Amino acid sequence: METTTQAPMSGRKAQAARNDQLIRDAARAVFTADPGAPISAVAEHAGVGISALYRRYKSKEELLQRLADDGMDRYLAQVQAALDDDRDEWTAFADFMRRCLDIGAGSVTMRLAGSFPVTDEMAQKGRDIHTATQRLLDRTKEAGALRRDIEVGDISVLLEHLHTIRIGDDERMNRLQHRYLELFLDSLHLADSEELPGPPPNWQELRGRYDD
């Protein structure tokens, strides 16, 4: 059976790909800490020239769109991994939440919502995320492992709140974020608890934060 292998990128293309990843990682760090930071701060953080950044992204707005789109892709991949997880439903859900925290799910939304226009493709991706997350919650509830009144909006807000914890260096901050996630998980696992006050955020409320 004949197999094909992808040719390695040329040195110039490989360097461009590395620069693009450096820029996106730097942009996530810079704009999460300070949404008003200039785009030059991203270049400085990434260790690349401003011309290299502008070759990839024409404006700060375009870079923010890419950053948000990347975050949606990363989150959607984690939801799908949880749905494909054949372990017990609670373990799959809890590990999904831990992975979401580690990839920064919610941090970009919290800091950057409303600072760039949402494309039709991004809006559709948001609906796909909502649907997939609802499937995961429904499955976990049906197993009797999750509070019946928890909805997609609750998960979004919880992750955002965890990313407001900014104490100590990166390692200390991550440990604290996971400390409080475990407290949240203990609460979410109380399937027979009394109903929470008020309704959860709905899709329109979550989507509306991105409108200028």
Side-chain angles (χ1 to χ4, degrees), residues 2 5 21 36 58 95 125 148 179:
E2 184 179 352
T5 58
Q21 188 62 54
K58 297 177 182 178
D95 278 356
K125 196 172 294 185
R148 303 296 300 179
R179 174 185 176 87

Side-chain angles (χ1 to χ4, degrees), residues 75-139:
Y75 178 89
L76 192 55
Q78 295 307 325
V79 179
Q80 191 57 56
L83 289 168
D84 292 340
D85 196 327
D86 59 4
R87 295 176 298 170
D88 71 89
E89 289 80 2
W90 175 252
T91 299
F93 173 77
D95 278 356
F96 157 76
M97 292 290 288
R98 295 180 185 113
R99 293 195 305 271
C100 283
L101 183 57
D102 283 334
I103 66 169
S107 61
V108 172
T109 298
M110 175 185 69
R111 300 293 282 168
L112 304 182
S115 60
F116 58 90
V118 175
T119 66
D120 291 341
E121 181 182 355
M122 291 172 68
Q124 180 58 55
K125 196 172 294 185
R127 288 189 287 270
D128 293 342
I129 284 172
H130 193 279
T131 298
T133 306
Q134 188 65 61
R135 285 177 56 204
L136 178 62
L137 297 185
D138 289 345
R139 187 183 74 173

